[in-house]
Amino acid sequence: MFRANCAAAPSTLRSQARARLLTPTRSLRNAGESALFGRMPFGKRTISIRPMARDRLSSTEVELEAVRARLTQQLGLEYYWQRISKASECAQCPLDEYHPSQGWRPQPHHLSKDKLWAQIREEAQQDAVSEPALASNLYSTILAHSNIEKSMAFMLANKLAWPTMLGMQLMRLIQDVYDDDPDVMEACLADLQAVFDRDPACDRYTLAMLGFKGFQAVQSYRIAHWLWRKGRKSLALAIQSRMSEVFHVDVHPAAVLGRGIMIDHATGVVIGETAVVGDNVSMLHRVTLGGSGTGGGVRHPTIGHGVLLGAGVTVLGPVTVGAGSKLGAGSVVVTDIPCHSVAVGVPAKIIKRDLVKEPVKDMDQCVDFVLNYDI
């Protein structure tokens, strides 16, 4: 995913990392979905951010630094880690327990991939019995498949197919993406768990997987982003265009999105080419992360971990929204917002700082706002 601390490894460790790079490795990790390695600063202390179990590192500092240096050289991710670090550094960040503004981390109540797939199949079987009209759809989308990768590939292919790009072609393409980079599926599972955790209208995993176009749009973006990183930009842009038509969500395949992303309702969401979105970010419909200017370089916002973007929020230009912040519905942000702040208005003004609770935990768009602000 992202590194919050981008300090260079010692020279000896750089040498070790370079030596490891000379050996064959599997395909490069996806910059938007790669696990979060390293240590994130919070005041004078540091909190280790651990990725999924498959990618957990040794507890020794030497191995941690060596792997971080190797991944930085492989992926060129230091640029993105620096941007997200700027959005996440906060001396007031809580230290006593895990908070979403610290980045994605599997929680004790989260299901493993196998258990999650078993739960999804059980829900599909129950729905097929209770509502026979859905039985055929549930069988072809979920029950006929042996794992969640094949099920997701089938579902997305049928959503994104168009007359000159058949569903079978897309299904094989998406399956190849999941086989090539397991991080793409791990990010998908994190997104699914985020929707289940944060959306009170979602009481079943199958509901989010089959019925929530925000979740489906993010997974379509992840496929397009993988293609973009592989240099297959024409196909990536074609999928972006089709995704915009089908879901009314337009995310450029070059944008970088973290894990645990929830886009509620989703209609009208636009995320530009150089935007960077951290982990555990929640946004509602008509959110725009737009660019400023026609030159090269960064033209779009950086959104820190655990940010809540209310309905109709517009963030323009290369500004930074700090971790754990909340932007009120209809706000237009054109300047940096510090960590754990509340901003509202046009242009957005900071009306509260040092939030104790994290906005994505309660998803409340009303609390913390004054009632008679001027626009």
Side-chain angles (χ1 to χ4, degrees), residues 154-324:
F154 180 88
M155 185 268 292
L156 292 178
N158 279 275
K159 290 283 185 177
L160 297 173
W162 64 92
T164 54
M165 176 61 77
L166 301 181
M168 290 300 295
Q169 293 175 287
L170 280 173
M171 185 169 66
R172 180 54 187 268
L173 169 67
I174 296 169
Q175 185 64 56
D176 288 344
V177 173
Y178 290 144
D179 291 342
D180 178 81
D181 191 350
D183 285 339
V184 180
M185 176 48 63
E186 289 186 3
C188 170
L189 299 178
D191 298 335
L192 184 59
Q193 190 66 64
V195 175
F196 186 81
D197 286 347
R198 298 178 211 156
D199 191 342
C202 180
D203 58 355
R204 302 169 72 83
Y205 291 104
T206 50
L207 178 59
M209 181 175 169
L210 302 181
F212 285 10
K213 68 177 183 179
F215 170 77
Q216 296 169 354
V218 172
Q219 306 323 307
S220 301
Y221 148 80
R222 298 196 186 283
I223 301 302
H225 184 66
W226 181 91
L227 292 167
W228 184 272
R229 284 182 44 78
K230 294 293 184 179
R232 302 169 67 178
K233 296 185 177 181
S234 297
L235 183 54
L237 291 169
I239 290 179
Q240 175 202 0
S241 177
R242 182 59 176 163
M243 181 178 76
S244 180
E245 294 176 9
V246 173
F247 303 118
H248 297 177
V249 176
D250 193 350
V251 184
H252 196 284
V256 178
L257 273 61
R259 295 187 181 189
I261 302 295
M262 187 190 81
I263 306 181
D264 197 11
H265 300 291
T267 300
V269 170
V270 176
I271 300 178
E273 178 184 13
T274 61
V276 174
V277 179
D279 302 343
N280 301 324
V281 171
S282 294
M283 62 185 76
L284 284 90
H285 53 286
R286 293 193 301 108
V287 165
T288 298
L289 304 182
S292 178
T294 59
V298 178
R299 310 186 311 279
H300 297 86
T302 298
I303 309 298
H305 301 316
V307 170
L308 173 60
L309 305 175
V313 165
T314 299
V315 188
L316 298 176
V319 301
T320 298
V321 178

Side-chain angles (χ1 to χ4, degrees), residues 91-107:
Q92 286 75 38
C93 287
L95 295 170
D96 53 343
E97 60 184 31
Y98 168 75
H99 290 265
S101 59
Q102 298 170 4
W104 169 259
R105 196 186 309 175
Q107 297 304 293

